[in-house]
Amino acid sequence: MAKTTNLKVRLVGAGPGDPELITLKGLSAMKKADVILHDALVSKELLNHASPSCKLVNVGKRAGKHTLSQDEINRLIVFYATRYKNVARLKGGDPYVFGRGHEELDYIHKRGISVEIIPGISSAIAAPASVGIPLTKRGINESFWVITGTCSSGEMSNDIRLASQSGATVIILMGMNNLSQIVQNFYYSRGADEPVAIVQRATTAGQKSIRGTIGTIQQLVISNKISAPAVIIIGKVVNESSIHEVLKEDLIRHASI
Ligand code: SAH
């Protein structure tokens, strides 16, 4: 490995979406950055905290006509790190939770640049909390699994089959494309009545959520037009939510008062 210099890149977790859900350390890294390379899901309000002279580079998947490959992102980080003193790589949620953070760290580190990791609140934790679902509750579950719904091959992860056979709360990221397969697995292992919730764009102004069961969730996704980015939460804790949905009838009643 190359000898590290005083060049520094900070790999910062931006949190799940709400700009207030970044850490103080993450915010301070943003404020002192000369360049911030950020994902598409990082909010404009959060980027407003950057200094006026800071260069903002959107390397996200929705950046425009051309989607940058991971290799191009890695090279861009090094390009800026060798020209500017403080570079922040701002990533949605936590950089190490399905964020390819370690690939970036490896690439940068091998080129003699030191990297500091600043963790963030993952959507895996924030999405259930945003709808009042406890990840664990005494007497209900003893663990929670965070699994990707889509492997690099595009297939559903085999860990989902294994998790469905446990008593764990199962949190699935990137699962919307394989939802029918996921549902099928849980149907066999836990039955049609197993509670499920899906939270889209958790902690943002565009947050939408649905709650149902393995038997009803696919229909609910269609009727409520739920799509990615979303977190799927499966397990008995879903029924423990402290937030009760307002029934349509209630809304109508309120509207007519
Ligand atoms: N590092 C990120 C995850 C990146 S993978 C984290 O820790 O949150 C991208 C997936 O994360 C999305 O497909 C979706 O499943 C989930 N995700 C990220 N932000 C989300 C949000 N605000 N609401 C719902 N799901 C989100």
Side-chain angles (χ1 to χ4, degrees):
M1 193 192 288
K3 196 168 170 285
T4 52
T5 67
N6 61 356
L7 293 170
K8 187 166 221 171
V9 171
R10 294 185 177 84
L11 218 50
V12 184
D18 179 342
E20 290 192 43
L21 286 176
I22 190 170
T23 63
L24 287 176
K25 200 164 191 171
L27 190 61
S28 126
M30 277 187 72
K31 285 182 173 165
K32 62 182 162 213
D34 307 305
V35 182
I36 295 177
L37 298 106
H38 64 90
D39 286 349
L41 284 175
V42 172
S43 78
K44 255 204 168 117
E45 284 154 281
L46 183 56
L47 293 171
N48 282 342
H49 290 290
S51 90
S53 61
C54 177
K55 191 174 172 60
L56 298 175
V57 185
N58 182 352
V59 295
K61 291 221 171 90
R62 293 161 194 79
K65 315 123 223 165
H66 176 62
T67 300
L68 296 178
S69 68
Q70 187 61 52
D71 196 50
E72 284 171 313
I73 295 173
N74 293 346
R75 277 189 272 134
L76 260 184
I77 301 171
V78 170
F79 172 86
Y80 285 112
T82 49
R83 284 162 181 80
Y84 295 86
K85 196 160 170 266
N86 286 299
V87 173
R89 169 70 174 109
L90 194 58
K91 296 171 76 70
D94 180 86
Y96 275 177
V97 176
F98 301 122
R100 306 189 72 171
H102 201 260
E103 290 170 52
E104 294 182 4
L105 177 139
D106 249 2
Y107 186 94
I108 305 163
H109 218 212
K110 279 189 181 127
R111 279 146 190 89
I113 299 162
S114 67
V115 186
E116 183 185 3
I117 303 286
I118 302 176
I121 299 177
S122 174
S123 61
I125 304 290
S130 72
V131 289
I133 297 172
L135 277 178
T136 66
K137 185 166 177 181
R138 259 167 87 106
I140 293 190
N141 68 318
E142 287 150 19
S143 67
F144 58 88
W145 289 37
V146 179
I147 312 176
T148 176
T150 314
C151 297
S152 46
S153 63
E155 299 292 305
M156 188 195 77
S157 161
N158 190 46
D159 281 355
I160 289 182
R161 190 178 55 78
L162 295 173
S164 73
Q165 293 161 0
S166 75
T169 300
V170 182
I171 310 293
I172 304 171
L173 273 58
M174 296 176 279
M176 295 306 281
N177 286 340
N178 287 327
L179 187 63
S180 64
Q181 240 188 307
I182 292 167
V183 163
Q184 213 173 34
N185 268 275
F186 279 87
Y187 178 79
Y188 287 124
S189 307
R190 297 194 187 181
D193 293 335
E194 183 71 356
V196 186
I198 302 183
V199 191
Q200 177 184 334
R201 291 192 165 274
T203 80
T204 71
Q207 174 167 326
K208 265 169 93 175
S209 66
I210 49 173
R211 235 186 311 162
T213 62
I214 282 295
T216 62
I217 202 72
Q218 290 190 90
Q219 194 48 49
L220 287 170
V221 165
I222 297 166
S223 53
N224 291 280
K225 298 191 174 67
I226 299 290
S227 59
V231 171
I232 305 167
I233 306 142
I234 308 175
K236 307 272 181 285
V237 289
V238 167
N239 285 345
E240 301 296 315
S241 171
S242 57
I243 299 171
H244 298 286
E245 278 131 300
V246 183
L247 297 170
K248 269 208 181 101
E249 292 76 27
D250 282 346
L251 285 175
I252 293 163
R253 218 176 298 139
H254 280 113
S256 58
I257 290 171

